[in-house]
Amino acid sequence: MPSAGAHRNLEEAARAIADTGRRFYQRGWVWGTAGNFSTVLSSDPLALAITASSLHKGELQPDQVIVVDERGKPTSPGRLRPSAECLLHVRIVRDRPREAGAVLHTHSVWGTILSEHFAAKGGVELQGYEILKGLAGVSTHQRTEFVPILDNDQDMDRLQAGLGKVLARNMSSHAVLLRKHGLYTWGETLADAERHIEVLEFLFEVVGRTITMRQHEGEAIWHS
Ligand SMILES: [Zn+2]
């Protein structure tokens, strides 16, 4: 049986996760039943509070947040089940034990577009923007943040193994994009992870719109 303290932690975590879900839905980052959110309740043994599978994030309720162990198996009572992507959350909190106390996953329009546009380059490079200082440990705009892109896969064992390799190769990155799928980022707390989503989604839109404008300018010169 979990202690009373663990219950209180779960309740608080579930309320905070539900609030995040509603905010992200309003901002267009988790349409449909896309996205999932988690926060670490205890690290040894791992207990992760995570949104259950196939839920509308704009109407997320605290009792739709469940607890899973280090194998992604539910340990809380009830019939709700975690999404298959739960294993990716587990992988991130295990491979980034100091940085990842919470993991957030969104499916935004700009993130999806850039994940395909930059796939051949292996990632999106974000450089010189003031808002990069919103990422944990970054104190100057003179920073190159590399968001690696990993091919999507419906085989979760293969995908989480691939994610592990990408995380190991990019120790200073704050996030990973899944190709034509969405963004995974993390933070010490849920608030830190939410700030990372805001910073990265802002920059994805800036980069995407900049590419589009340059293409239009190029076409205008071509036709003049
Ligand atoms: Zn997803």
Side-chain angles (χ1 to χ4, degrees):
M1 277 293 286
S3 69
H7 274 301
R8 196 163 56 243
N9 279 342
L10 173 60
E11 276 171 30
E12 279 169 19
R15 262 201 311 274
I17 285 173
D19 289 345
T20 299
R22 284 193 294 274
R23 280 196 292 275
F24 280 16
Y25 182 79
Q26 284 162 5
R27 300 170 97 164
W29 296 336
V30 284
W31 290 145
T33 59
N36 32 64
F37 319 122
S38 71
T39 176
V40 175
L41 298 177
S42 86
S43 47
D44 191 18
L46 181 66
L48 191 67
I50 188 164
T51 44
S53 179
S54 307
L55 297 171
H56 187 287
K57 302 305 182 299
E59 294 163 9
L60 200 59
Q61 299 301 319
D63 63 2
Q64 294 172 320
V65 173
I66 60 174
V67 182
V68 298
D69 64 15
E70 72 283 350
R71 292 166 303 136
K73 299 282 177 241
T75 57
S76 47
R79 281 183 301 163
L80 291 174
R81 287 286 167 267
S83 109
E85 285 185 52
C86 168
L87 288 175
L88 305 185
H89 290 246
V90 170
R91 169 59 80 164
I92 290 169
V93 299
R94 282 169 64 192
D95 288 10
R96 290 279 192 277
R98 279 186 297 135
E99 297 99 322
V103 178
L104 296 175
H105 172 49
T106 48
H107 290 194
S108 75
V109 172
W110 286 110
T112 305
I113 291 171
L114 295 197
S115 74
E116 174 62 9
H117 186 85
F118 288 104
K121 291 191 168 153
V124 185
E125 221 172 64
L126 304 164
Q127 196 177 16
Y129 295 101
E130 178 70 13
I131 200 170
L132 285 167
K133 286 156 66 181
L135 299 176
V138 176
S139 56
T140 169
H141 65 284
Q142 290 173 321
R143 148 101 187 179
T144 302
E145 174 73 20
F146 185 68
V147 182
I149 296 168
L150 176 64
D151 273 338
N152 197 24
D153 196 327
Q154 298 306 320
D155 182 322
M156 264 321 132
D157 288 331
R158 218 161 41 205
L159 189 57
Q160 64 96 10
L163 177 62
K165 285 184 193 151
V166 166
L167 290 170
R169 275 201 302 265
N170 298 278
M171 289 305 290
S172 65
S173 293
H174 292 77
V176 174
L177 271 170
L178 297 184
R179 188 174 181 179
K180 289 189 171 181
H181 177 162
L183 176 68
Y184 271 89
T185 190
W186 50 86
E188 253 181 78
T189 65
L190 191 63
D192 292 324
E194 187 162 336
R195 194 181 68 246
H196 288 173
I197 288 279
E198 288 184 343
V199 167
L200 293 166
E201 292 294 359
F202 172 93
L203 286 171
F204 290 160
E205 186 166 350
V206 166
V207 169
R209 286 184 186 275
T210 303
I211 292 168
T212 309
M213 281 168 69
R214 287 197 183 134
Q215 279 168 348
H216 283 315
E217 281 165 11
E219 282 164 19
I221 290 164
W222 181 253
H223 290 299
S224 65

